[in-house]
Amino acid sequence: MNRRPLVLATALAGTLALAGCSGSGSSDTSKAELSVSGTYMPQPVSADMAAGFLTITNKGGTKDELTKVSSTAAGQVTMHSTTGGEMREQSSFAIPAHGRLVFRSGGNHLMFEQLRQQPKQGQTVTLKLTFAKSGPLTVEMPVKSATYHPTTGN
């Protein structure tokens, strides 16, 4: 009886089991894993100011922070929170590990100030999102109708 194939199969199975435990899989949960969805800007009614909304999802095991937003479409982009009807400018927003940061109408939002030209429905605005730990993300924000309300809730 030749035991060599059985020994090889057992050794291979042990090697595969150990490789699965090594933590070198496709997802490193020890750092933030950021993605952006639900971006939109209602067509501004003002010639010099607009609002923007989006969701940042962190699938990683470490929190991060959104520290800056910029766009060539505006002189500056500021971040605001709204609590109890009161709007306050924020210098950063936390993005929890395995969590989300949501910018939505009536809540956290972006303000595009000193617009270089008034964005129109159907156009897109490019944003650069800067984070405390992760590299920057560049995203496209479509301009929707002034009365647009997404089904996703942001």
Side-chain angles (χ1 to χ4, degrees):
M1 178 177 184
N2 186 354
R3 293 184 162 202
R4 188 168 211 180
L6 180 60
V7 172
L8 285 174
T10 303
L12 180 60
T15 301
L16 290 174
L18 287 175
C21 295
S22 70
S24 63
S26 63
S27 177
D28 181 4
T29 57
S30 66
K31 64 179 183 175
E33 292 181 28
L34 305 176
S35 62
V36 179
S37 62
T39 62
Y40 76 97
M41 171 188 285
Q43 181 173 311
V45 293
S46 166
D48 63 344
M49 189 175 291
F53 308 101
L54 54 90
T55 298
I56 302 172
T57 302
N58 182 358
K59 292 184 180 178
T62 300
K63 68 179 180 175
D64 207 337
E65 237 179 298
L66 177 63
T67 58
K68 182 179 178 184
V69 180
S70 59
S71 174
T72 58
Q76 69 175 352
V77 181
T78 55
M79 301 180 286
H80 295 91
S81 63
T82 303
T83 307
E86 187 175 328
M87 183 174 77
R88 287 200 171 119
E89 186 172 337
Q90 302 292 323
S91 60
S92 65
F93 278 96
I95 309 160
H98 305 290
R100 299 182 320 157
L101 169 61
V102 179
F103 290 88
R104 69 171 139 241
S105 182
N108 301 334
H109 60 279
L110 303 176
M111 290 302 301
F112 294 77
E113 301 169 24
Q114 303 154 10
L115 291 173
R116 290 178 169 59
Q117 68 179 47
Q118 189 174 6
K120 303 290 184 204
Q121 184 176 342
Q123 295 177 332
T124 59
V125 173
T126 303
L127 299 177
K128 181 179 177 185
L129 307 175
T130 304
F131 303 94
K133 298 177 184 173
S134 303
L137 292 175
T138 300
V139 297
E140 295 294 318
M141 179 173 277
V143 180
K144 303 289 188 173
S145 73
T147 59
Y148 176 75
H149 293 285
T151 58
T152 59
N154 73 327

